[in-house]
Amino acid sequence: MKKILLVVATAVMACTSVFGQWNSNPAENMLAWPEDRSYYYQEMQMAPDGRVWIAVNNPAQGRIHTSLQLVDSLGNLKFEEPLVVSDYPTRSWTSCGQILFVDRDGNAIVSLNDFRYSPEGVEFENHTVYKISPEGEYLWGEDGLALEGKEAFPMNSHMSMAQMDDNSYVFTWNSLKDNNNLYEVKMQRITPEGEFLWNIEDVILTDPENKISYTWPTVVDAGMNQAIIIYFKGSSYDMYARKIDFDGSSAWTEDTRLYRSGWPGNMPA
């Protein structure tokens, strides 16, 4: 019996060595990105089943492409070539913020900026989000979903994403409007099927009259189909939190101040 078990164990190990890519020698790590290609920035997120999504912002034709790779639990690469999410023109540098979120079903939610809705001759941005299955299928369409419709702005940055109890997704980001150097915090909620649930003008943090900027938003799941948005307010960068109800309204009578001024304004919470 022991001999039979030994034979089976040896066969399993042999199969693993044939199909798996992980190396037991820490000095010989697995190559997850082509060694002949440069890149600017990468994010990694693990799916519930142990697979790992890797999103890479890499230079291409003088712009930035966002590409995906999926690694299974044995270290095998899903895509022979990294999956290019979009090849629309973008800036030649990477905007700050999250580009990858992995949901409870193992799908990759990818956020990127490009100029597809920009006026002719102007490089204005729009946040577009994609939902991509482990098989590489574009579940929200090959053009993704434009969070602000076909409107573009001088600068969009610092995307943050979270998933709520009903499996919908909440997105929050910064937008610079009309080149007036005042940033707004915008929010949107999308169903798993790709339906927009909030009127973006109803959940915006903005104060142009008093010339106050809202910056560096971060969203986290608060349970009960609610989310908490953490953000900075004003030139002193006071840190605040707002609890967002399922319909986009504030669940608190007023936002809570977490930190009173002095926080470096060039970094997220």
Side-chain angles (χ1 to χ4, degrees), residues 102-124:
V102 177
D103 68 13
R104 299 184 184 106
D105 296 320
N107 302 303
I109 310 299
V110 182
S111 170
L112 54 88
N113 280 326
D114 57 45
F115 306 144
R116 71 183 74 180
Y117 301 120
S118 180
E120 186 175 354
V122 180
E123 294 186 344
F124 280 5

Side-chain angles (χ1 to χ4, degrees), residues 61-136:
Q61 291 88 48
R63 300 293 186 178
I64 301 291
H65 284 175
T66 298
S67 304
L68 281 179
Q69 184 57 270
L70 181 63
V71 186
D72 69 18
S73 59
L74 296 177
N76 298 302
L77 302 181
K78 169 65 178 179
F79 308 114
E80 185 175 344
E81 285 288 320
L83 179 66
V84 178
V85 178
S86 168
D87 59 0
Y88 282 99
T90 63
R91 298 192 190 279
S92 58
W93 44 270
T94 300
S95 294
C96 57
Q98 185 177 6
I99 59 175
L100 173 66
F101 177 83
V102 177
D103 68 13
R104 299 184 184 106
D105 296 320
N107 302 303
I109 310 299
V110 182
S111 170
L112 54 88
N113 280 326
D114 57 45
F115 306 144
R116 71 183 74 180
Y117 301 120
S118 180
E120 186 175 354
V122 180
E123 294 186 344
F124 280 5
E125 294 180 316
N126 181 295
H127 268 304
T128 303
V129 291
Y130 292 80
K131 183 175 180 178
I132 299 176
S133 74
E135 291 70 42

Side-chain angles (χ1 to χ4, degrees), residues 186-259:
K186 296 182 177 179
M187 292 165 268
Q188 185 55 269
R189 181 180 169 207
I190 299 178
T191 67
E193 295 75 31
E195 177 187 358
F196 290 87
L197 293 177
W198 291 347
N199 180 349
I200 198 169
E201 298 302 325
D202 294 338
V203 291
I204 191 172
L205 296 177
T206 184
D207 191 353
E209 289 187 10
N210 296 308
K211 297 183 178 180
I212 296 177
S213 278
Y214 293 80
T215 53
W216 296 106
T218 300
V219 59
V220 295
D221 173 31
M224 303 293 291
N225 279 330
Q226 296 176 318
I228 290 180
I229 307 290
I230 300 171
Y231 63 91
F232 293 144
K233 179 180 178 180
S235 58
S236 60
Y237 297 102
D238 291 350
M239 186 191 297
Y240 284 85
R242 172 179 294 193
K243 193 172 188 178
I244 304 295
D245 217 337
F246 67 93
D247 60 356
S249 62
S250 178
W252 296 337
T253 55
E254 62 181 21
D255 294 358
T256 298
R257 193 201 308 256
L258 302 178
Y259 188 88

